[in-house]
Amino acid sequence: MGKVTGFMEFERVAETYEAPIKRLHHYKEFVVTLTDAEAKVQGARCMDCGIPFCNSGCPVNNIIPDFNDLVFHDDWKNALDVLQSTNNFPEFTGRICPAPCESACTLGINSEAVGIKSIEHAIIDKGWENGWVVPQPPKTKTGKKIAVVGGGPAGMAAAQQLARVGHDVTVFEKNDRVGGLLRYGIPDFKMEKWLIDRRVEQMQAEGVKFETGVFVGKEAIGIEVKNYSTKTVSPDQLMKDFDAIVITGGAEQPRDLPVPGRELAGVHYALDFLIPQNKENAGDLKSEIRATDKHVVVIGGGDTGSDCVGTSNRHGATQITQFELLPQPPEVENKPLVWPYWPTKLRTSSSHEEGCERDWSVATKRFEGKDGKVEKLIGVRLEWRDGKMSEVPNSEFEIKADLVLLAMGFVSPAQQVLTAFGVEKDARGNAKATVDGHNAYQTNVPKVFAAGDMRRGQSLVVWAIREGRQCAQAIDEFLMGSSVLPR
């Protein structure tokens, strides 16, 4: 812990934002991190709670009380070492993780939780600034070759862990840059992509090879999943060339909305809108789907929908409306009922604060338009009882819609990849593999493993890192008989 009475003396201080009127004119990050003095005080709020539930609330099991205490004592270098012992990419999670650790904070039962995420953000940024984050190449090589299929956070974490214990690792990524949805799905204003490039350079120095623009499979994936590959490699070839393979692709198959008018121009999947904008920011191409001077309707109330709102605001949309099928959650969670678990409560993102009308318990009946272009959405109010929804009689309404973005989540990874490997799937279309026991992360196909969204379905970046790390330990043990990698 930090200071014994710190949690009684100091209030929580959150990171601040650049004003919306300024940040709407650019795609750069706008979060103002804590100063050293502020981080020290926030570290002091970590209390002697006996059982730190934050450890288990964090999917990578960050050793949070320890690095809080070290920051309080101005020992930033050791704080970084503690943080990096469990998390390969704190600069990712320190920016875009929703911080389930804070929901599990003991202080949060009757006060505001310790600002764990902001402290993590401060530690890793200081580590990079001071040159403390350096490549960790292996002292010896094993001669074992491993293919990682998918260059998102799960694949990157697995690759880095495996390379550090001496394996020869090659990452195959179908798109032209590494990072997966971390790069192309998340807007730059939430996380700038040079952060990924910096990590890739570190991993290359550790011996990881990256093959971008390479699709691994047989049958081409559907047009609803972005694929910028220029080359195809068969799973059979990988099976011949490598001692182990881990499939770590993302859950990229979007949930569709099969209602009348879905075929109208102007109705798009969220990633068809977000990915080109990120590529435009990188100087690759000009985004063709623009929200400028349009009435935008975003269907889906999660993080992807929020990203659509923020991007539409930066385009200069006339009006942005976001609909959610589920009822509006309470503004304050019922802590005695849900702590230390992730609570259901109303969450307002920085993108919402920039300008957006939000509405809940709304279903889309159809889209209507003229000359093949969408012009309006016909919706209906819903009533929820005992977890079941029904339409409210005579509640149909219409709203002007020049651009409709479907952000209703992702149902599964690309099925063609799993089918090409012959991997057995679970009921949701994910790779079937357990996370425990002697055969952890192994699929039904010999020497083929699966981790991240490919195995667990749509999830958080921090869960992808956890699964990548754990899968690396399982592969190392599979190849070598034992492993020095952490579980």
Side-chain angles (χ1 to χ4, degrees), residues 160-179:
Q160 185 168 63
Q161 292 294 94
L162 290 164
R164 286 177 172 179
V165 291
H167 301 303
D168 293 320
V169 183
T170 302
V171 177
F172 295 90
E173 168 57 47
K174 74 178 187 307
N175 293 323
D176 50 0
R177 286 180 170 88
V178 175

Side-chain angles (χ1 to χ4, degrees), residues 367-417:
F367 303 113
E368 294 182 359
K370 184 179 180 181
D371 298 328
K373 296 181 180 180
V374 68
E375 291 185 335
K376 56 186 174 182
L377 176 151
I378 310 301
V380 65
R381 301 285 172 187
L382 299 174
E383 183 179 38
W384 288 86
R385 288 186 179 178
D386 300 324
K388 296 181 179 180
M389 65 179 187
S390 60
E391 295 183 4
V392 176
N394 303 316
S395 67
E396 248 188 44
F397 65 92
E398 67 177 52
I399 182 172
K400 184 175 175 59
D402 307 308
L403 176 63
V404 178
L405 301 172
L406 307 180
M408 304 172 295
F410 301 87
V411 295
S412 71
Q415 297 299 289
Q416 295 87 346
V417 176

Side-chain angles (χ1 to χ4, degrees), residues 38 178 241 251 335 387 439 464:
E38 289 172 333
V178 175
D241 294 344
K335 288 185 178 180
N439 297 319

Side-chain angles (χ1 to χ4, degrees), residues 433-442 449 470-471 473-475 487:
T434 181
V435 299
D436 299 312
H438 180 66
N439 297 319
Y441 292 95
Q442 293 188 39
F449 295 71
Q470 290 191 345
C471 185
Q473 192 268 351
I475 292 172
R487 167 66 175 163

Side-chain angles (χ1 to χ4, degrees), residues 317-328:
T318 299
Q319 173 72 34
I320 305 172
T321 305
Q322 185 176 24
F323 289 139
E324 169 58 56
L325 190 74
L326 297 171
Q328 181 175 345

